[in-house]
Amino acid sequence: MIATLQFTTLLLAVIVCRATQDYAYKDVEEPTLGDSQYGSLWPLPQKVEMSTVAFKLSGASFQIVDAKESSSGASCSLLQNAYRRYDEYIFPISRMQGQNKEKAFASDVSELQVWITSADSECDSYPSVTSDESYELTVDSPVAVLKAPKVWGALRGLETFSQLVYEDEYGAKSINRTEIQDFPRFAHRGLLLDTSRHFLPIKVILANLEAMAWNKFNVFHWHIVDDPSFPYMSRTFPQLSQQGAYHPYTHVYTPSDVKMIIEFARLRGIRVVSEFDTPGHTQSWGKGQKDLLTPCYSGASPSGSFGPVNPILNTTYDFMAMFFKEVSTVFPDAYIHLGGDEVDFSCWKSNPDIQKFMAQQGFGTDYSKLESFYIQRLLDIVTTTNKGYMIWQEVFDNGVKLKSDTVVHVWMGNKFEEELQKVTEAGFTTILSAPWYLDYISYGQDWQKYYKVEPLIFNGTDAQKKLVVGGEACLWGEYVDATNLTPRLWPRASAVGERLWSDKDVKDTNDAYSLAPQRETYSEPLFTGYCAHEYKGV
Amino acid sequence: MIATLQFTTLLLAVIVCRATQDYAYKDVEEPTLGDSQYGSLWPLPQKVEMSTVAFKLSGASFQIVDAKESSSGASCSLLQNAYRRYDEYIFPISRMQGQNKEKAFASDVSELQVWITSADSECDSYPSVTSDESYELTVDSPVAVLKAPKVWGALRGLETFSQLVYEDEYGAKSINRTEIQDFPRFAHRGLLLDTSRHFLPIKVILANLEAMAWNKFNVFHWHIVDDPSFPYMSRTFPQLSQQGAYHPYTHVYTPSDVKMIIEFARLRGIRVVSEFDTPGHTQSWGKGQKDLLTPCYSGASPSGSFGPVNPILNTTYDFMAMFFKEVSTVFPDAYIHLGGDEVDFSCWKSNPDIQKFMAQQGFGTDYSKLESFYIQRLLDIVTTTNKGYMIWQEVFDNGVKLKADTLIHVWKGNQQQYQAEMARVTASGYHTLLSTPWYLNRISYGQDWQAAYKADPQDFNGTDAQKKLVVGGEACLWGEYVDATNLTPRLWPRASAVGERLWSDKDVKDTNDAYSRLTKHRCRMVQRGIPAEPLFTGYCAHEYKGV
């Protein structure tokens, strides 16, 4: 996929990609490929004024520097790391620093000054749903200026700056006089990867975090465990991965791995939201934690198989309290995703102890009440860790009492508009994934389908619309692993990236089509054609 | 995709693969994953008798050697190259040759003797549709014997032998006492790659030839040029790629590249059949060859765009004669694929010169007659090069007169329609190839390998004589949506399903058994360095490292 962790050395800032229009083959409906007035910008900033006046960037003298007035700079490793990364995207062939530094010509952009305007740059913080990602970029000669209240906006602006750089006909790095004011339309722009159905090597996760930054995504939703395997290595309950992972040490994420992934993401302004889905989707938990799952019965005796988490034992809640206490310290993000989807009642129904408990509680035969009983207690436990929670929509649908800051994750069916309406009517914030299940592949340019989705299309007041904080592209793991994940994801996820960042009126698929082929040198093609710099990692 | 051309160094012979059955997620219908009695064999040989008696292969002493009685051996580079390849698949960690050579134990298999039984081994020949790929493999202690009339069967048998090797619980290379008699059900087992819609780097083509050999494919159908680009560098008409390729030297196949690909394929018993599709699908030809294409008219004047090859000019046929004379020497295979599909008549209709010609010839307004006129002359030209030809089904459908040895390539329609076409083609006495159910570029969610696996090329109404005219089939991966970034995992292991259908007995169709073997086979391909995608949730003991 990608040869090594050479993200920073592989890449060119702007790649001229062409796709031929000579196709006469088969029944393909294609957008027309022209040249967008916005060059290769993706996602499109909120406000762009681009002149035809072009300046050059000299490899010998150009530098990204801290503005004198900036509240952050030389001591901020997040910024310095970012300067290095973007310098290498712009000048992929390594160059001697400082040689000919004085020889800048009048038509050069010799510096990009990065100016953090707010007193607290948040350089050493973790990004959050309220992080300010806005920035203003002025490209002029001899100096370009990137102003942002916080480092998060500076990261987004550096990406934009690098996308403005192109090669002229002689291969010289060039950039046009430009004014950009930019901010995200939605605060939560996520990507879900599933490391349970197939284990994903660290390198694959990091590569995709890198690609996320190029598309201004800011949440990595880590669906870390599920039925098939439990690769999360817990310090408190090491048996969970010892017994529940595909392999006890080659197919696990150690605390060090997790830390590295979180820091790698933070440096790119990306939150890592972990999901520990219960009470369903927990088969792998049962291997390392005795009595956690409900024993299923066949007639009067246990069948040997197990169902969802056993909601009637106190030991279950003791376990969950300790487990989520650990999770809340390992993952610094303010939110944990608690799952809660697709609970199968058949095993609960078969178990005589559960039946007895149902009668005691007066639940009758309504097992969704038992589910709610479990979730309610779980939410109370997680609340004590001072974390907010995200849950899949079923939890809301089943009427579980939720904290007011709960994020309801809408994923089901094609009537997502109705669900968004209901959820926001009830006053909850919500994120949308239903139309963005990228694991469902089909022939042709399905990116257009993802691109055309409008998350705020539902009937509701302005106040309700404001409760939609964003969305997530999901790539569930049944059919993807290290061999095919990255090209399957990109650039299809880029369509979601623009929908969540850019203004809602940015929806011209022809314009988008010419923009979409971009830096990801390992992303699959949109259609027939070629890139000037093709993928070398084969 | 694959890190480099290190196929031969990366790999283990047999990999234990598991996929969990604990899925409770979404509406997936899955075959049951068990253990096949045939281990990880893919495609399944015609006759296998496997005992539970296990022998060991010692890394220090095991060798593949020429049998004393063999008609070929030390001087045959095809065989020696294959020994090296398979030795490295079996023992991926390099080992000192010859150390402890004497220390073979009684329960070891210390040698695989390769015995070419026919006087002419065909070591230095090119494979053809009549090549004998049969072999017999006897695994016993202390010696395993692989007997094959020709080197082609030896190549297939070496692959099978390597698939029999597995690691026991201590990681020791092991193999069970086994008797195999094997031969392909169909002589033509092809894979089409399209290097026009996206240019494929040489490395990608070679990697996929390697994977083809692991799946006993024997034809690389190289759809080398088409509308979008002309990457074939012609010595006679260099302007074709100079003007028609995506880039005049980074996105072309030079004569040296072509030679290398053909030799790499030959060493694996794979034919390279080139396709130069005309008269349609030729937009890129027009860029470097003036007057080759038909000028389209808008009203009374040329519109500036061009249509199919211009069939009414003598210069067209002069060009084709010279061009195909070159192609016939560059590609040694006995067949050339001449295309002939999807000709759009609208441009011809718009052109007044064409209209005049139609009237002169008495074609009326039946433009398929003009198409046939062109194809007929093209076939006559190619016939003078002493090549046979393959053509897409439209040429047959339009009633063009064809040589008796023409191969008709069926690609259109639904199941009912392609089966009817197979019946028609064979009723007319022509040989045929099936591709319709194997358009692997058409992806869908889930385990679509099963649909490919269930299709059978002889499943149509016809006599036994008709069925015998089906020489095989081809999996096609058209290039609109694939290039070096995603081609290989999209192709494998989905193409493997086609590989078994075309090699194994027609009664090999148990999808549960296939699922078990294919899951392991897929992991073996991953281990050997090809990023074959997963069939479902699970993992391989040795996962893909090239990320």
Side-chain angles (χ1 to χ4, degrees):
Chain A
M1 232 59 106
I2 49 154
T4 61
L5 254 180
Q6 309 168 331
F7 316 116
T8 45
T9 63
L10 287 172
L11 326 156
L12 267 191
V14 172
I15 293 167
V16 184
C17 258
R18 280 175 234 152
T20 62
Q21 286 167 278
D22 307 322
Y23 47 86
Y25 186 75
K26 296 280 139 37
D27 51 335
V28 274
E29 259 191 72
E30 303 306 326
T32 313
L33 187 64
D35 267 329
S36 167
Q37 60 168 310
Y38 299 115
S40 69
L41 287 172
W42 191 279
L44 195 65
Q46 299 286 343
K47 197 174 162 203
V48 183
E49 281 175 43
M50 214 184 278
S51 127
T52 55
V53 177
F55 309 118
K56 299 260 173 293
L57 275 71
S58 154
S61 62
F62 176 79
Q63 281 203 317
I64 305 174
V65 300
D66 303 308
K68 283 202 191 83
E69 308 88 336
S70 182
S71 67
S72 189
S75 67
C76 173
S77 73
L78 183 147
L79 283 179
Q80 301 304 320
N81 270 350
Y83 298 169
R84 182 175 64 199
R85 223 158 51 236
Y86 283 98
D87 191 287
E88 287 171 351
Y89 293 158
I90 297 169
F91 298 102
I93 296 151
S94 65
R95 58 197 175 108
M96 297 292 288
Q97 272 297 346
Q99 63 182 24
N100 294 325
K101 238 187 192 166
E102 310 308 311
K103 275 202 182 164
F105 290 94
S107 61
D108 282 0
V109 174
S110 62
E111 275 188 1
L112 170 63
Q113 296 181 354
V114 178
W115 181 356
I116 309 297
T117 57
S118 151
D120 178 9
S121 70
E122 298 185 5
C123 174
D124 298 312
S125 311
Y126 288 97
S128 77
V129 73
T130 59
S131 292
D132 185 343
E133 295 175 287
S134 70
Y135 66 92
E136 288 179 30
L137 178 63
T138 309
V139 178
D140 207 336
S141 178
V143 171
V145 179
L146 170 60
K147 278 171 77 170
K150 309 285 181 186
V151 290
W152 318 118
L155 291 172
R156 305 295 169 242
L158 283 166
E159 175 59 35
T160 302
F161 180 83
S162 76
Q163 294 186 3
L164 289 171
V165 178
Y166 60 94
E167 293 186 359
D168 73 5
E169 58 188 309
Y170 301 102
K173 303 292 174 186
S174 309
I175 191 166
N176 287 16
R177 174 177 286 153
T178 305
E179 290 274 354
I180 288 178
Q181 288 175 318
D182 201 12
F183 54 88
R185 181 176 173 211
F186 293 104
H188 186 116
R189 304 179 306 283
L191 174 66
L192 178 149
L193 296 180
D194 166 3
T195 56
S196 173
R197 291 184 175 79
H198 285 98
F199 180 79
L200 299 177
I202 312 283
K203 281 194 290 189
V204 172
I205 293 176
L206 299 186
N208 284 285
L209 285 167
E210 196 71 91
M212 284 172 70
W214 302 339
N215 290 276
K216 296 189 169 68
F217 277 96
N218 68 354
V219 178
F220 168 35
H221 175 160
W222 193 352
H223 187 86
I224 190 166
V225 301
D226 203 302
D227 284 328
S229 76
F230 195 102
Y232 171 75
M233 182 178 146
S234 161
R235 277 186 199 277
T236 320
F237 301 100
Q239 288 306 312
L240 288 170
S241 59
Q242 279 281 321
Q243 304 294 326
Y246 284 136
H247 185 282
Y249 54 85
T250 66
H251 286 61
V252 300
Y253 303 103
T254 67
S256 311
D257 296 334
V258 172
K259 225 180 246 180
M260 190 169 93
I261 285 167
I262 291 169
E263 181 63 6
F264 190 96
R266 187 188 79 83
L267 290 175
R268 286 151 185 83
I270 298 171
R271 300 162 54 200
V272 178
V273 174
S274 61
E275 176 181 353
F276 290 90
D277 190 356
T278 66
H281 289 283
T282 48
Q283 289 294 304
S284 68
W285 301 51
K287 293 179 185 163
Q289 187 63 21
K290 213 171 150 285
D291 297 334
L292 182 64
L293 303 185
T294 308
C296 313
Y297 277 65
S298 165
S301 52
S303 68
S305 68
F306 294 88
V309 164
N310 192 333
I312 67 169
L313 301 180
N314 284 329
T315 52
T316 292
Y317 300 101
D318 296 343
F319 167 83
M320 290 296 171
M322 289 172 72
F323 184 76
F324 279 101
K325 193 176 162 207
E326 171 185 320
V327 166
S328 70
T329 59
V330 169
F331 293 90
D333 197 80
Y335 282 82
I336 300 179
H337 201 301
L338 297 174
D341 59 321
E342 297 185 310
V343 183
D344 179 0
F345 295 148
S346 56
C347 181
W348 280 350
K349 284 180 188 166
S350 76
N351 182 303
D353 298 329
I354 302 265
Q355 291 161 11
K356 209 176 298 169
F357 185 84
M358 292 280 291
Q360 282 168 7
Q361 297 285 328
F363 291 166
T365 55
D366 185 354
Y367 284 85
S368 73
K369 285 190 178 150
L370 182 60
E371 180 186 355
S372 295
F373 172 87
Y374 167 80
I375 297 267
Q376 199 65 67
R377 290 194 63 175
L378 179 70
L379 297 186
D380 292 346
I381 286 167
V382 174
T383 302
T384 66
T385 67
N386 290 319
K387 294 282 183 183
Y389 37 77
M390 297 170 56
I391 40 91
W392 296 108
Q393 69 179 74
E394 286 99 316
V395 180
F396 166 80
D397 296 343
N398 291 343
V400 175
K401 198 178 134 213
L402 298 165
K403 281 196 300 178
S404 63
D405 65 343
T406 302
V407 178
V408 179
H409 197 161
V410 174
W411 71 277
M412 287 170 90
N414 40 18
K415 290 191 175 166
F416 69 82
E417 297 91 343
E418 288 176 21
E419 182 75 5
L420 288 174
Q421 189 184 341
K422 272 186 250 167
V423 170
T424 54
E425 213 162 50
F428 291 107
T429 49
T430 183
I431 57 173
L432 178 63
S433 278
W436 292 319
Y437 266 39
L438 302 188
D439 50 321
Y440 285 111
I441 52 171
S442 57
Y443 183 68
Q445 296 208 15
D446 56 2
W447 71 272
Q448 294 183 51
K449 190 172 64 185
Y450 307 131
Y451 190 73
K452 285 175 183 160
V453 172
E454 171 47 60
L456 301 187
I457 192 101
F458 64 91
N459 289 323
T461 64
D462 285 355
Q464 277 178 267
K465 304 282 168 99
K466 280 200 183 112
L467 291 169
V468 180
V469 293
E472 290 186 359
C474 298
L475 190 67
W476 295 98
E478 283 87 347
Y479 299 106
V480 290
D481 68 4
T483 62
N484 62 344
L485 182 142
T486 308
R488 183 159 296 182
L489 190 50
W490 308 103
R492 293 162 73 234
S494 303
V496 184
E498 175 150 305
R499 180 54 52 239
L500 293 174
W501 178 279
S502 304
D503 189 81
K504 75 176 197 307
D505 293 330
V506 176
K507 54 188 181 189
D508 175 345
T509 44
N510 286 328
D511 190 67
Y513 184 47
S514 78
L515 293 175
Q518 48 185 318
R519 181 193 295 137
E520 288 91 343
T521 46
Y522 44 87
S523 71
E524 66 177 21
L526 291 169
F527 193 57
T528 304
Y530 73 106
C531 300
H533 302 266
E534 299 221 80
Y535 184 60
K536 293 290 187 285
V538 286
Chain B
M1 233 55 115
I2 49 156
T4 59
L5 254 180
Q6 310 167 329
F7 317 116
T8 44
T9 63
L10 289 171
L11 329 150
L12 263 190
V14 170
I15 294 166
V16 183
C17 244
R18 277 172 238 151
T20 62
Q21 286 167 278
D22 306 325
Y23 47 85
Y25 186 75
K26 295 277 139 36
D27 52 334
V28 275
E29 260 191 70
E30 302 305 326
T32 312
L33 188 65
D35 267 329
S36 168
Q37 59 168 312
Y38 299 115
S40 67
L41 287 171
W42 193 278
L44 195 65
Q46 299 284 343
K47 199 176 161 198
V48 183
E49 282 174 42
M50 215 183 277
S51 125
T52 55
V53 178
F55 309 118
K56 298 261 174 295
L57 275 71
S58 153
S61 62
F62 175 80
Q63 281 202 318
I64 306 174
V65 299
D66 304 307
K68 284 205 190 79
E69 309 88 335
S70 181
S71 67
S72 188
S75 66
C76 172
S77 74
L78 182 148
L79 283 179
Q80 301 304 320
N81 271 351
Y83 298 169
R84 181 176 62 200
R85 222 159 50 237
Y86 282 98
D87 191 287
E88 286 170 352
Y89 292 158
I90 297 169
F91 299 102
I93 297 153
S94 66
R95 58 195 175 108
M96 297 291 288
Q97 272 297 345
Q99 63 184 23
N100 294 325
K101 235 185 193 167
E102 311 309 309
K103 274 202 184 164
F105 289 94
S107 62
D108 281 2
V109 174
S110 63
E111 274 187 3
L112 170 61
Q113 297 181 355
V114 178
W115 180 357
I116 309 297
T117 57
S118 149
D120 178 9
S121 70
E122 298 185 4
C123 174
D124 297 311
S125 310
Y126 288 98
S128 77
V129 71
T130 58
S131 292
D132 186 343
E133 295 175 287
S134 69
Y135 66 93
E136 288 179 30
L137 177 62
T138 308
V139 178
D140 207 334
S141 177
V143 171
V145 179
L146 169 59
K147 278 170 76 170
K150 308 286 182 185
V151 290
W152 318 117
L155 290 171
R156 305 296 168 243
L158 283 165
E159 175 60 35
T160 301
F161 180 83
S162 76
Q163 295 187 0
L164 289 170
V165 178
Y166 61 94
E167 293 187 356
D168 73 6
E169 55 187 313
Y170 301 102
K173 303 293 175 184
S174 309
I175 192 167
N176 286 15
R177 175 178 286 153
T178 305
E179 290 272 354
I180 287 178
Q181 289 176 316
D182 201 10
F183 54 87
R185 179 177 170 207
F186 293 107
H188 187 117
R189 305 179 307 282
L191 173 67
L192 178 149
L193 296 181
D194 166 3
T195 57
S196 173
R197 290 182 177 80
H198 285 96
F199 180 79
L200 299 177
I202 312 285
K203 281 195 289 190
V204 172
I205 294 176
L206 299 186
N208 283 286
L209 285 167
E210 197 70 270
M212 285 172 69
W214 303 341
N215 290 276
K216 296 188 169 69
F217 277 97
N218 68 353
V219 178
F220 168 34
H221 175 162
W222 192 351
H223 188 86
I224 191 167
V225 300
D226 203 301
D227 284 325
S229 77
F230 195 102
Y232 171 75
M233 180 179 149
S234 161
R235 278 188 198 274
T236 319
F237 301 100
Q239 288 306 312
L240 288 170
S241 60
Q242 279 280 320
Q243 304 294 325
Y246 283 136
H247 184 284
Y249 54 85
T250 66
H251 285 62
V252 300
Y253 302 104
T254 67
S256 310
D257 296 335
V258 172
K259 227 180 242 178
M260 191 170 91
I261 285 167
I262 291 169
E263 181 63 5
F264 191 95
R266 185 187 81 82
L267 290 176
R268 286 150 184 83
I270 297 171
R271 300 162 53 197
V272 178
V273 174
S274 60
E275 176 180 354
F276 290 90
D277 190 355
T278 65
H281 289 284
T282 47
Q283 289 294 305
S284 68
W285 300 52
K287 294 179 184 163
Q289 187 64 21
K290 211 169 153 283
D291 297 336
L292 180 65
L293 302 186
T294 308
C296 312
Y297 277 65
S298 167
S301 52
S303 69
S305 67
F306 293 88
V309 165
N310 192 332
I312 67 169
L313 300 180
N314 283 329
T315 51
T316 293
Y317 300 100
D318 295 343
F319 167 83
M320 291 296 170
M322 288 172 73
F323 183 76
F324 279 101
K325 192 175 163 206
E326 171 186 319
V327 166
S328 71
T329 58
V330 169
F331 292 92
D333 197 80
Y335 282 81
I336 299 178
H337 200 302
L338 296 174
D341 58 321
E342 297 184 309
V343 182
D344 179 2
F345 296 147
S346 56
C347 182
W348 281 350
K349 283 180 187 165
S350 77
N351 181 304
D353 298 327
I354 302 266
Q355 290 162 11
K356 207 177 297 168
F357 186 83
M358 291 283 289
Q360 281 167 9
Q361 297 284 329
F363 290 165
T365 56
D366 183 354
Y367 283 85
S368 72
K369 284 189 177 150
L370 182 60
E371 181 186 355
S372 295
F373 171 86
Y374 167 79
I375 296 268
Q376 197 67 64
R377 288 193 64 174
L378 178 69
L379 297 187
D380 292 346
I381 286 168
V382 174
T383 302
T384 67
T385 67
N386 289 318
K387 294 282 183 184
Y389 38 76
M390 296 168 58
I391 39 92
W392 296 108
Q393 70 179 73
E394 286 99 317
V395 181
F396 166 81
D397 295 344
N398 290 343
V400 175
K401 197 179 137 215
L402 299 165
K403 280 196 302 178
D405 64 345
T406 302
L407 205 45
I408 316 286
H409 199 160
V410 173
W411 70 278
K412 289 172 81 167
N414 58 28
Q415 186 179 4
Q416 201 183 352
Q417 289 166 327
Y418 78 67
Q419 288 176 349
E421 178 77 1
M422 298 289 280
R424 276 193 300 272
V425 168
T426 53
S428 305
Y430 290 109
H431 287 91
T432 185
L433 271 182
L434 179 64
S435 277
T436 310
W438 296 320
Y439 265 40
L440 300 186
N441 51 305
R442 301 216 161 245
I443 54 173
S444 59
Y445 181 69
Q447 298 210 13
D448 59 359
W449 69 271
Q450 293 183 49
Y453 191 71
K454 284 173 186 159
D456 192 303
Q458 287 178 330
D459 192 3
F460 62 86
N461 289 324
T463 62
D464 285 357
Q466 277 177 271
K467 303 287 170 91
K468 281 199 183 115
L469 291 169
V470 179
V471 294
E474 289 186 0
C476 298
L477 191 68
W478 295 98
E480 283 88 348
Y481 301 105
V482 291
D483 68 5
T485 62
N486 61 345
L487 181 142
T488 308
R490 184 160 296 184
L491 190 51
W492 308 103
R494 294 163 73 235
S496 303
V498 184
E500 174 149 305
R501 179 57 51 238
L502 294 173
W503 177 279
S504 304
D505 189 80
K506 75 176 195 312
D507 294 329
V508 176
K509 55 188 180 189
D510 175 345
T511 41
N512 285 327
D513 187 74
Y515 184 47
S516 164
R517 288 182 291 111
L518 187 54
T519 299
K520 293 169 185 157
H521 179 57
R522 176 261 166 176
C523 283
R524 177 170 46 228
M525 290 195 278
V526 167
Q527 174 82 13
R528 290 181 179 185
I530 287 284
E533 68 179 21
L535 293 168
F536 194 57
T537 303
Y539 73 108
C540 299
H542 303 267
E543 299 221 75
Y544 187 59
K545 295 287 187 287
V547 287

